Amino acid sequence: MQAVEIRKGIYWVGAIDWSMRSFHGYQTGRGTTYNAYLIIDEKITLIDTVKATFAPELLARIKSVIDPAKIDYIISSHVEPDHSGAIPFMLEHAPQAQVITSLPNGEKGLKGHYGDLPLQGVKAGSSLSIGKRTLQFVPTPMLHWPDSMVTYCPEEKILFSNDAFGEHLASSSRFDDDVDFGTLMFECQKYYANILMLYGRQAQTALKALSGLDIDMIATGHGVIWRKHIQEIMARYEKWAAGEVEERAVVVFDSMWHSTESMARAVAEGFAQKGISVSFYDIKENHLSDIVTDILTAKYLAVGSPTINNQMMPTIAGFLCYLKGLAPKGKKAFAFGSYGWGGQSIGLVEEELKACGCEIILDKIRLANVPGAEDLQAITAKIKAL
Ligand code: FEO
């Protein structure tokens, strides 16, 4: 295991998790990386660690550059264990190191996870001289934990951004211009949608705080390092954080005997006839984390469920629970579904869409039993007329 020099005297020493397919429920089809950075200066500094199971990989990469016992500081940008999990292990190999963390939440979180550690808390605006270089600490609370912070090195114009601007993408390449741009941006949108969508306001605050910095490299906590497309990823974050939407529709449904599915097709046809592009998700065949990635930038959302045991389908209930937690912005929505008797599900879906913060733009569409051709044409006409 070798370190990768990303700037003279600054090394990527992280780990590549090729096989990871679920990040607490977020489906990560392309794996991920846990990025850590070693700065060789008068004070040897490690920025973040890796998930505990990858600690030997981190150590091996560090050892390819220096003796780990020489590390003076370990910066903990974020307590979540994918970044802090190897801190106790590293302290065994770097017994003189002080762990730098945000006050008060980083200190509280690290103590809560690992007990007593040699901690040194830093506040907003604090900086640390490590020799030729300075590290400035910028808190980014709730991006996406209370303790989160980023570190800026003005002499190198590098922002060590931890979770911000990252993506779950395992790759043998370390830089943004070495991977496919479309794939990269998809994974960034997926990351933002699933991890940060709820925190748009905090993301806007952080972007404002970072706007004054001269940045020519963003060394993230996951995925690739930005050196070419910095403006593009910043612009996407501005758009996502502001809740900007596109003239696109997302149709999500479950179905038992294809009746709600045929209604979903009629809804999609209505949007298509209106000239609005549609994404179509049978929830049995698609993962929540992919669906919300699409919803992030879509203006319209149609959700369908038949009625089962007086409720909506549990799959749709789970989807709406997940979406509610992410608090999507700027969605125009409606509910639809077929039923045999009762038909409570459609009203329940509508109520949940309201609870998600969606504006209901069409009264719920309910059809008993099997929709006929005229019923479906009427649905298409209704959507087209929106
Ligand atoms: Fe990558 Fe919030 O941890």
Side-chain angles (χ1 to χ4, degrees):
M1 294 289 174
Q2 288 286 319
V4 177
E5 191 167 38
I6 62 166
R7 186 65 67 76
K8 183 90 182 133
I10 302 180
Y11 298 84
W12 175 86
V13 288
I16 304 173
D17 192 347
W18 296 98
S19 303
M20 201 262 286
R21 290 294 179 269
S22 175
F23 196 88
H24 44 59
Y26 160 3
Q27 194 173 69
T28 49
R30 294 185 169 96
T32 195
T33 70
Y34 312 110
N35 296 338
Y37 301 94
L38 183 69
I39 306 177
I40 306 300
D41 209 317
E42 287 168 28
K43 297 288 186 186
I44 309 287
T45 302
L46 177 66
I47 298 188
D48 289 319
T49 67
V50 297
K51 198 173 178 178
T53 44
F54 288 85
E57 185 170 334
L58 169 70
L59 185 67
R61 293 194 199 278
I62 292 170
K63 279 183 172 174
S64 74
V65 182
I66 52 146
D67 174 359
K70 291 182 177 168
I71 294 173
D72 296 287
Y73 296 120
I74 299 174
I75 312 291
S76 173
S77 310
H78 175 29
V79 174
E80 194 163 13
D82 51 328
H83 305 287
S84 71
I87 288 178
F89 174 88
M90 280 311 305
L91 287 171
E92 289 172 18
H93 295 270
Q96 303 174 57
Q98 286 283 306
V99 179
I100 310 289
T101 184
S102 65
L103 280 174
N105 291 314
E107 189 176 79
K108 200 167 128 190
L110 287 175
K111 279 183 181 166
H113 278 70
Y114 307 110
D116 281 336
L117 295 177
L119 299 178
Q120 188 177 322
V122 290
K123 288 187 172 163
S126 300
S127 62
L128 179 70
S129 173
I130 57 170
K132 294 194 297 290
R133 302 177 182 90
T134 314
L135 300 178
Q136 298 174 350
F137 304 110
V138 182
T140 52
M142 299 319 296
L143 220 64
H144 65 124
W145 277 22
D147 65 284
S148 297
M149 70 173 184
V150 299
T151 299
Y152 177 64
C153 179
E155 294 84 0
E156 302 286 354
K157 300 183 183 175
I158 299 178
L159 179 71
F160 296 93
S161 67
N162 193 259
D163 276 341
F165 311 116
E167 74 290 328
H168 287 313
L169 178 62
S171 166
S172 55
S173 307
R174 301 276 61 83
F175 293 99
D176 59 343
D177 48 324
D178 285 336
V179 297
D180 177 73
F181 185 70
T183 302
L184 174 58
M185 283 306 186
F186 170 81
E187 293 298 344
C188 286
Q189 180 163 336
K190 186 168 182 177
Y191 190 94
Y192 186 94
N194 284 276
I195 305 284
L196 300 173
M197 194 195 299
L198 173 62
Y199 304 113
R201 189 170 48 78
Q202 291 87 347
Q204 287 180 307
T205 304
L207 287 166
K208 202 170 167 188
L210 300 177
S211 64
L213 303 180
D214 187 6
I215 298 169
D216 66 15
M217 182 177 281
I218 302 178
T220 62
H222 297 289
V224 293
I225 295 163
W226 299 95
R227 65 180 177 190
K228 182 176 180 189
H229 300 293
I230 291 172
Q231 293 311 316
E232 287 97 324
I233 188 60
M234 288 277 196
R236 297 282 176 110
Y237 262 62
E238 293 278 3
K239 179 182 159 177
W240 297 332
E244 281 182 30
V245 291
E246 300 158 1
E247 283 288 309
R248 288 193 304 104
V250 174
V251 179
V252 186
F253 69 95
D254 202 347
S255 197
M256 284 190 275
W257 294 103
H258 304 293
S259 291
T260 300
E261 180 179 351
S262 64
M263 294 174 75
R265 290 179 183 279
V267 168
E269 176 66 19
F271 281 118
Q273 289 186 15
K274 200 174 161 58
I276 292 174
S277 79
V278 190
S279 301
F280 189 83
Y281 294 105
D282 180 337
I283 204 152
K284 292 186 290 298
E285 309 297 337
N286 295 277
H287 197 266
L288 298 182
S289 52
D290 285 316
I291 300 172
V292 300
T293 302
D294 209 350
I295 289 173
L296 175 68
T297 53
K299 183 174 180 181
Y300 299 101
L301 173 61
V303 180
S305 175
T307 301
I308 183 166
N309 302 328
N310 305 322
Q311 301 294 322
M312 68 181 90
M313 295 287 278
T315 45
I316 293 295
F319 158 69
L320 288 168
C321 174
Y322 191 57
L323 188 66
K324 187 161 56 177
L326 295 173
K329 290 197 189 87
K331 307 301 165 205
K332 296 179 181 298
F334 60 90
F336 63 93
S338 75
Y339 62 97
W341 63 98
Q344 298 93 332
S345 59
I346 304 100
L348 291 170
V349 168
E350 186 180 89
E351 287 309 308
E352 282 303 288
L353 285 170
K354 285 181 195 168
C356 289
C358 300
E359 178 194 350
I360 302 299
I361 54 162
L362 188 64
D363 193 22
K364 51 192 172 292
I365 307 172
R366 302 166 81 249
L367 287 176
N369 300 310
V370 180
E374 285 183 12
D375 296 321
L376 298 175
Q377 283 164 12
I379 291 174
T380 297
K382 202 177 271 194
I383 308 308
K384 192 180 176 185
L386 279 174

